[in-house]
Amino acid sequence: MNTRLNPAKASRSAAVKARLENPVIDTDVHVNDYAPVLEDYIAQYGGPKLVDALRKALGGRFVTRDGAGKDWYQQSPEERAHHRTLRAPWWARVTRNTYDLATYTIPALLYERLAEQGSDYSVLFPNDVLSPAAAGSEYRQPLHRALNHFHADQYRAYADRLTPVAGIPMHNPKEAIEELEFAVNILKLKVINIPGGVRRPIPAIAEKYPAREHPEIAKHVGYIDFYGIDSPHDYDPFWAKVVELGVPVTTHYGSQGWTGRHSTSNYMFNHIGHFADGSQAFAKALFFGGVTRRFPGLRVGLLEGGADWGSHVFTHLVDRWEKRNRHAVRNYDPAAVDVDLLAALFDQHGADLLQGRAVDKATLVRDSLGISALPHSREPNADEIDDFALAGIESVDDIRARWVDPFFFGSEADDRTVAAAFNHRVHPGGVKINAIWSSDVGHWDVPEFTEPLAETWDLVEQGVISAQDFRAFTFGNPLRFYTEANPHFFDGTAVGRQLGLAA
């Protein structure tokens, strides 16, 4: 047979790309790791023991077990309900389209096929990049280091069009900074991916029920530290190092398993909206904790959750600040009630309500407002009545600078809700939200590698977004995301050549 195994195809997306005057930047491509080669790298960092730790971390990533060690598929429906065993993601990658499966696994083939996809530059997220976070503390750093080293070597020859992210553990700032510096300074990787939160034990419960003695309790009882607010650690040194090194931060943080996303039988029930919810919690922590105020150069990409949630959170931040800033919130202080006027109004208008009862001025505010008027053990201080204090919000422009400017929202190619990001008429100040084009190829929601750009252009033809929005989505906003963090990000790349940047 003379037929090529991988013939180039004339795709719909290539036809769209041929009409464009600007490059296309794909901010989210998922690739697979070829295990035998990967495990050679892991062994170099820690021998067979570290390879076993990786296999355990990968094997347990989406497998939930009951106390007897049975996974979801081994349990009966009754056992799943009894143990509340989460229905985790399943069949999550491309398989039937074998050509695409190979594309996501073989770097040279992915590089060769970018023209079919219609993109000029892709940021790669190896599917296993954050799996080491599931390993114990003894293995977490060496596994991250080995994985990042493997990915850097695999894609170095294709750096003009492809760059993999570095996975960074976030269990504590010291560990995060060490792996950040290794990834950027030694491996020369230039984008990082972090978990949007770390699950920690609640101290009061952990003291009473230590994890070693009560593992089932520890598995179910804890809280999520989103780094920016209420954290037991000060992560400012990490954010400072990120800005110093000029690194864009990304996350694919999800919320499957949270309350409301813990079906024991239905993956889709757990899946829809979970990236948006997880990333929203992380982003709000950075905002309310003042991280985006203290580090205005920080740029964060929140991927796979769409951009509509970024739109409505911005709008709601403004709405709530206008009603509950440190001055306006005094409108709701029970001490501000004019008790004499309230009593007079009861006397004048309340006969039917009172049914002969006398009004007691001493308890009238409490009796009218209920629990919201119960006295505190002390009066709250100024910071305690201003939820926007750490963020330093004095105006709507401050909210824009600390929410709209630093955050970029990864939206998939066929996501019609991206229109919300570009609908400046609904946003305070007429701003637009930073939606960035994220094809998500490599995952089940993209069964055909070459379709995403064309699917986005379909939104233009359907009137969902404008051609100007399309350009901002696929080029302008991604360009700003990377270059606002690092002005030299695209030097020497295919995008850089088209823009006339330095070699």
Side-chain angles (χ1 to χ4, degrees), residues 109-150:
L109 182 55
L110 174 61
Y111 184 84
E112 178 183 316
R113 294 192 67 199
L114 284 187
E116 291 178 56
Q117 193 206 13
S119 65
D120 296 272
Y121 192 86
S122 296
V123 176
L124 312 179
F125 292 84
N127 282 305
D128 299 328
V129 74
L130 285 179
S131 295
S137 58
E138 176 186 357
Y139 304 111
R140 202 162 50 231
Q141 281 190 264
L143 281 176
H144 273 95
R145 192 163 292 198
L147 272 169
N148 291 338
H149 194 167
F150 169 73

Side-chain angles (χ1 to χ4, degrees), residues 419 422-423 432 464-474 477:
F422 297 109
N423 188 359
K432 295 183 179 182
V464 176
I465 60 175
S466 68
Q468 181 182 12
D469 297 336
F470 176 90
R471 186 180 190 277
F473 186 31
T474 60
N477 289 349

Side-chain angles (χ1 to χ4, degrees), residues 325-462:
N325 63 65
R326 67 176 180 274
H327 303 295
V329 76
R330 291 291 184 181
N331 289 322
Y332 321 114
D333 184 351
V337 175
D338 184 333
V339 178
D340 289 335
L341 175 58
L342 183 61
L345 292 169
F346 265 86
D347 286 341
Q348 184 175 356
H349 300 285
D352 290 343
L353 173 65
L354 293 172
Q355 298 180 4
R357 294 179 179 82
V359 169
D360 184 348
K361 284 189 179 182
T363 63
L364 183 55
V365 174
R366 184 200 66 193
D367 293 342
S368 299
L369 293 177
I371 193 170
S372 63
L374 292 176
H376 301 290
S377 59
R378 61 168 174 78
E379 285 299 306
N381 61 43
D383 287 344
E384 289 171 336
I385 67 168
D386 184 5
D387 284 334
F388 295 85
L390 292 177
I393 305 302
E394 300 292 339
S395 67
V396 173
D397 282 344
D398 290 337
I399 298 176
R400 177 199 54 73
R402 290 156 200 172
W403 182 266
V404 176
D405 292 355
F407 294 130
F408 290 73
F409 302 88
S411 296
E412 294 171 21
D414 59 350
D415 183 358
R416 299 173 65 86
T417 68
V418 74
F422 297 109
N423 188 359
H424 62 90
R425 294 180 297 277
V426 305
H427 298 141
V431 303
K432 295 183 179 182
I433 302 301
N434 300 319
I436 53 177
W437 192 67
S438 306
S439 72
D440 204 39
V441 293
H443 284 173
W444 58 260
D445 48 331
V446 190
E448 169 54 57
F449 172 75
T450 67
E451 272 293 286
L453 189 65
E455 289 180 324
T456 305
W457 185 256
D458 290 342
L459 301 183
V460 177
E461 295 186 335
Q462 295 162 10

Side-chain angles (χ1 to χ4, degrees), residues 58-65 70-73 75 80 84-93 255-258 261-272 274 444:
L58 295 178
R61 187 178 179 196
F62 293 128
V63 176
T64 50
R65 301 177 185 277
K70 291 182 179 180
D71 69 26
W72 188 91
Y73 293 94
Q75 296 176 41
R80 295 166 192 159
R84 297 304 304 170
T85 305
L86 178 73
R87 183 73 200 270
W90 55 278
W91 288 3
R93 307 202 187 153
S255 58
Q256 292 190 60
W258 292 12
R261 298 191 183 281
H262 203 118
S263 168
T264 63
S265 63
N266 196 300
Y267 167 37
M268 287 294 96
F269 176 89
N270 296 329
H271 179 273
I272 294 174
H274 87 104
W444 58 260

Side-chain angles (χ1 to χ4, degrees), residues 105-338:
T105 311
I106 305 171
L109 182 55
L110 174 61
Y111 184 84
E112 178 183 316
R113 294 192 67 199
L114 284 187
E116 291 178 56
Q117 193 206 13
S119 65
D120 296 272
Y121 192 86
S122 296
V123 176
L124 312 179
F125 292 84
N127 282 305
D128 299 328
V129 74
L130 285 179
S131 295
S137 58
E138 176 186 357
Y139 304 111
R140 202 162 50 231
Q141 281 190 264
L143 281 176
H144 273 95
R145 192 163 292 198
L147 272 169
N148 291 338
H149 194 167
F150 169 73
H151 297 139
D153 285 355
Q154 288 287 295
Y155 293 97
R156 186 173 292 111
Y158 312 102
D160 65 324
R161 294 184 182 272
L162 304 173
T163 191
V165 301
I168 304 298
M170 292 289 288
H171 287 69
N172 62 71
K174 178 178 180 294
E175 187 176 292
I177 291 171
E178 288 174 357
E179 295 317 304
L180 172 67
E181 290 183 323
F182 181 81
V184 175
N185 294 334
I186 305 302
L187 299 179
K188 306 303 180 184
L189 296 172
K190 54 186 181 180
V191 187
I192 63 171
N193 194 47
I194 67 172
V198 170
R199 184 175 175 84
R200 303 194 193 279
I202 298 172
I205 296 176
E207 290 170 4
K208 188 173 182 179
Y209 302 101
R212 288 188 300 273
E213 300 172 19
H214 304 277
E216 287 303 300
I217 293 177
K219 182 173 72 173
H220 291 289
V221 180
Y223 74 100
I224 299 173
D225 175 9
F226 298 109
Y227 321 124
I229 195 167
D230 303 330
S231 176
H233 298 286
D234 177 8
Y235 280 90
D236 273 11
F238 172 74
W239 306 123
K241 182 61 66 173
V242 165
V243 174
E244 175 194 330
L245 295 176
V247 182
V249 179
T250 64
T251 187
H252 291 72
Y253 191 59
S255 58
Q256 292 190 60
W258 292 12
T259 301
R261 298 191 183 281
H262 203 118
S263 168
T264 63
S265 63
N266 196 300
Y267 167 37
M268 287 294 96
F269 176 89
N270 296 329
H271 179 273
I272 294 174
H274 87 104
F275 280 118
D277 284 355
S279 285
Q280 182 180 141
F282 168 58
K284 287 192 300 186
L286 299 190
F287 174 86
F288 281 108
V291 174
T292 56
R293 173 180 64 84
R294 295 189 296 276
F295 303 100
L298 184 66
R299 292 295 178 268
V300 180
L302 305 146
L303 302 178
E304 295 201 42
D308 57 321
W309 70 266
S311 167
H312 77 246
V313 170
F314 171 59
T315 303
H316 293 328
L317 286 172
V318 173
D319 291 344
R320 282 152 176 76
W321 177 79
E322 289 176 340
K323 301 294 175 61
R324 295 191 66 89
N325 63 65
R326 67 176 180 274
H327 303 295
V329 76
R330 291 291 184 181
N331 289 322
Y332 321 114
D333 184 351
V337 175
D338 184 333

